[in-house]
Amino acid sequence: MADYGHDLEFGIFIPPVAERVAGVIEMAKTADVLGLDLVTFQDHPYQAKFLDSWTLLSALAGETSNVRLALNVANLPLRPPAVLARSAASLDLLSNGRVELGLGTGAFWDAIVAMGAERLTPGESVRALEEAIAVIRGIWAAGDTSVLRVEGEFHRVVGAKRGPAPAHDVGIWLGAYKPRMLRVTGRLADGWLPSEGYLRSDDDLTTGNAIIDESADRAGREPRDIRRLLNVTPPRGGTDAWVERLTALALDYGIGTFILAADD
């Protein structure tokens, strides 16, 4: 049993289909009215049928009042971290502190390369993500009067001015599955955000939690400081099966935030 002491949160994961833009906006507004905690979108800038997810979040900030908004997860190979940091901080200020930031190392590399990014190996992608987190947190540290210097292998920010600071402590949630990324989550992130469909079984949640917790301990962090989120799809069997499934995920695996994939 895993209990990280997190309040339960619920959100949705809406496909940002351009041909259904009115429906996408209406779903987000409905989530806001119903009192859900999160509205999130995948981030695939190479996908021609999708709206640009960051532009969509910005528009929805003006259409909603309470629900928090997040990329689930941002495609780092196509979003320079220094610019992404300022975009997130700016939208957080404009939305009165309603932005969170999911980050991923990138997938579908042929499409990413076609958009102009350099192809990275899995190991290189993880190192690039670590550097990106340093850049993002450095930009947000507006109270630090020194210029920002991150001279990494993949991301170099040499002498950039810091700021603006977000309106609240924006959570950085990592879409992680393999041990190295899980260890980075334990050391550097505020949340773990996998998708149920990419897990082989619930044992992957147990293993992931153990790796994250051990990594957090070694870094001098409290494991409970890392929120456990999960993108979920409804099980077969109706309401009773749904209640049983979510209860098990919360009590046995420490999931504190459930994000439902939904398109209607």
Side-chain angles (χ1 to χ4, degrees):
M1 178 174 291
D3 181 4
Y4 296 100
H6 300 150
D7 294 336
L8 292 181
E9 297 180 338
F10 299 90
I12 55 175
F13 182 66
I14 309 171
V17 179
E19 291 183 350
R20 299 185 57 197
V21 61
V24 170
I25 293 172
E26 189 59 33
M27 279 194 68
K29 292 168 67 174
T30 299
D32 189 45
V33 171
L34 292 177
L36 293 183
D37 299 289
L38 285 165
V39 169
T40 74
F41 297 93
Q42 58 192 292
D43 184 36
H44 297 293
Y46 43 76
Q47 178 57 267
K49 71 177 182 180
F50 284 172
L51 298 161
D52 173 72
S53 295
W54 196 261
T55 306
L56 178 57
L57 287 187
S58 300
L60 289 175
E63 295 280 353
T64 57
S65 300
N66 300 299
V67 73
R68 299 190 340 263
L69 306 165
L71 295 185
N72 187 353
V73 291
N75 192 307
L76 270 177
L78 291 172
R79 296 195 184 275
V83 177
L84 180 60
R86 287 213 166 101
S87 297
S90 299
L91 189 56
D92 197 53
L93 289 164
L94 291 166
S95 64
N96 296 315
R98 293 192 289 123
V99 170
E100 311 293 351
L101 186 59
L103 295 179
T105 56
F108 309 105
W109 277 96
D110 287 346
I112 291 172
V113 171
M115 290 286 285
E118 294 290 332
R119 188 183 300 272
L120 301 180
T121 67
E124 289 172 338
S125 295
V126 176
R127 296 200 300 275
L129 174 69
E130 293 181 82
E131 295 171 5
I133 292 174
V135 171
I136 291 168
R137 293 203 188 281
I139 291 291
W140 289 346
D144 187 336
T145 57
S146 67
V147 294
L148 176 62
R149 293 185 180 275
V150 177
E151 299 192 52
E153 181 181 359
F154 304 98
H155 299 296
R156 297 183 72 252
V157 178
V158 185
K161 294 183 179 180
R162 304 173 191 264
H168 85 298
D169 291 332
V170 174
I172 293 180
W173 304 333
L174 300 189
Y177 299 92
K178 295 185 177 180
R180 187 169 178 181
M181 275 287 288
L182 292 166
R183 288 193 291 271
V184 172
T185 303
R187 287 192 292 109
L188 301 176
D190 304 300
W192 178 32
L193 177 53
S195 293
E196 191 175 31
Y198 288 105
L199 301 174
R200 294 166 297 179
S201 71
D202 289 348
D203 289 343
D204 285 348
L205 292 173
T206 301
T207 300
N209 279 332
I211 294 172
I212 290 169
D213 292 354
E214 180 183 9
S215 179
D217 282 333
R218 288 185 175 181
R221 306 180 68 200
E222 288 288 340
R224 68 175 55 247
D225 290 343
I226 303 158
R227 176 169 281 274
R228 317 301 158 115
L229 309 94
L230 186 65
N231 294 317
V232 296
T233 54
R236 296 178 181 178
T239 303
D240 289 344
W242 191 217
V243 170
E244 182 177 350
R245 175 63 176 155
L246 293 188
T247 300
L249 287 168
L251 297 181
D252 297 338
Y253 302 101
I255 303 301
T257 301
F258 297 97
I259 303 175
L260 175 67
D263 61 2
D264 61 34

